[in-house]
Amino acid sequence: QVRAVESGGGLVQPGGSLRLSCAVSGTFIGFGTMGWYRQRPGQQRELVASISGPGSGNLADSVKGRFTISKDDAKNTVYLQMNSLKPEDTAVYYCNRPTTQFAWGQGTRVTVSP
């Protein structure tokens, strides 16, 4: 059974930074693509970043230049470094595969507010 456990969220002021982690079990993240998604209040879940091999991150336009996705295959963990956070980044963040998705985890809540 594949499981993802997201962590690292919290309350941060605009302009601040957070680093999210996603520990995955039951599948090896070194194969295929992993992604970070977010679901903002009242909106559908959206893909904000994805990564395949090292240095192969893709970012949504809304986060480009502010977020960085990375992974540690040895730890089977995916990271999302979020800088220059804006109130519109407020959301619950999840990780999953863009294809062959597994059951969604609980996510980690990020709130950007003064």
Side-chain angles (χ1 to χ4, degrees):
Q1 182 178 358
V2 181
R3 185 172 179 232
V5 179
E6 300 91 351
S7 62
L11 174 63
V12 62
Q13 292 185 342
S17 298
L18 285 173
R19 188 192 193 207
L20 307 184
S21 298
C22 173
V24 180
S25 59
T27 187
F28 179 47
I29 67 167
F31 299 141
T33 302
M34 288 295 300
W36 277 100
Y37 296 75
R38 68 183 180 189
Q39 187 164 21
R40 292 186 275 192
Q43 297 189 24
Q44 292 188 331
R45 194 174 286 151
E46 60 176 341
L47 178 66
V48 296
S50 62
I51 186 168
S52 300
S56 68
N58 291 296
L59 299 168
D61 288 343
S62 59
V63 305
K64 201 167 290 184
R66 301 187 297 120
F67 290 12
T68 304
I69 186 171
S70 62
K71 62 175 183 163
D72 185 334
D73 289 348
K75 294 182 178 180
N76 225 35
T77 299
V78 188
Y79 304 98
L80 186 68
Q81 178 66 45
M82 307 188 297
N83 299 327
S84 302
L85 283 161
K86 304 176 181 180
E88 52 262 44
D89 296 317
T90 294
V92 180
Y93 286 73
Y94 305 85
C95 69
N96 209 319
R97 293 194 184 279
T99 58
T100 60
Q101 288 182 344
F102 46 83
W104 294 95
Q106 294 298 307
T108 186
R109 185 175 299 274
V110 173
T111 303
V112 185
S113 179

